Amino acid sequence: METFGTRLQRLRKEKGLTQEEVATKLNISAQAVSKWENDLTSPDISVLVELSEILGTTLDELLGKETKKEVEYVPNLEKKDIDKMTLKIVVDSADGDKVRLNLPMAIVRIFVESGIGMPEINGNAALKNIDFKRILELVEQGAVGEFVTVESADGDNIHILVE
C-alpha cells in the first residue's frame, strides 16, 4: 500500500519538481517536504489544497482516495485514427536526467511489424521488458492513456502512454 509520503514523492517527481521548488511555492522549508515524503510528519490540513494544485492532482488522489485511470477504451464509433496518435515515453532518472520521446504510432507499427527493437534510451534496461507489440494491439482496439509505469530499484521512473 502506498503511503502518503511515497505518493507525494511520486506525484512531485511526475510533475518534475524538486522538494525545494515545492517548499518555495508553499513558503515552507524543503526539510518539511522531506519529512512529509519520509512519513515522519504530515502537512497541515491548510496546505493540502494548495499542495494538490501545485502537483496538478485532486485532493482525493493526493490523500489516496482515488487513482488515475490508466487506460481508457474508446468505443468503436469514436475510435481515433491510430496514425494520428503518439506513443510517449517519459524517463526521469534518479541522476536527474529527463528524457521525453514522442513517436508517431505509424513508426511504432513499423518497428513492431519489422521486428526492429524500439530505440534504447540512455541504456535503460527497464524498457527492454516492455511489450510494444501488445501496446500496439491495444491501441488498435481503441485503448488510449497510460499503459506502463515503472519505478526501478535505481530510482528511475518510466511512463509509457498513448495520446
Side-chain angles (χ1 to χ4, degrees):
M1 184 174 150
E2 189 178 43
T3 66
F4 175 81
T6 304
R7 188 171 33 265
L8 173 60
Q9 183 179 46
R10 175 180 54 80
L11 292 168
R12 175 182 59 78
K13 287 182 176 182
E14 284 176 5
K15 197 73 172 169
L17 296 170
T18 65
Q19 289 180 345
E20 185 68 41
E21 290 169 326
V22 171
T24 300
K25 291 175 187 263
L26 292 171
N27 200 26
I28 60 170
S29 71
Q31 289 80 7
V33 176
S34 176
K35 286 181 181 181
W36 298 344
E37 289 185 359
N38 288 300
D39 293 307
L40 298 175
T41 62
S42 297
D44 187 84
I45 194 166
S46 63
V47 175
L48 290 175
V49 171
E50 189 175 359
L51 182 59
S52 69
E53 290 172 357
I54 291 167
L55 298 174
T57 190
T58 64
L59 199 50
D60 282 346
E61 184 181 3
L62 179 62
L63 296 175
K65 299 297 179 189
E66 73 176 32
T67 57
K68 290 181 184 173
K69 193 178 196 181
E70 291 190 2
V71 177
E72 168 189 342
Y73 286 91
V74 179
N76 286 339
L77 296 175
E78 300 176 30
K79 192 182 278 187
K80 297 178 181 178
D81 182 356
I82 191 170
D83 291 328
K84 293 181 180 175
M85 299 173 82
T86 304
L87 175 83
K88 296 185 177 203
I89 301 175
V90 177
V91 178
D92 293 323
S93 77
D95 299 332
D97 295 331
K98 293 182 184 296
V99 177
R100 306 294 185 261
L101 181 64
N102 298 315
L103 292 171
M105 285 304 296
I107 301 233
V108 173
R109 181 185 289 129
I110 291 169
F111 282 144
V112 168
E113 290 175 355
S114 66
I116 298 172
M118 292 294 285
E120 193 171 292
I121 300 174
N122 289 348
N124 198 309
L127 290 175
K128 289 183 181 178
N129 297 323
I130 306 297
D131 187 351
F132 287 99
K133 181 178 181 183
R134 182 67 182 133
I135 291 173
L136 178 62
E137 290 169 357
L138 288 168
V139 173
E140 287 172 337
Q141 293 171 17
V144 295
E146 188 161 335
F147 286 85
V148 179
T149 300
V150 177
E151 254 185 70
S152 75
D154 298 334
D156 296 339
N157 290 303
I158 301 169
H159 301 275
I160 298 177
L161 53 128
V162 175
E163 296 179 334

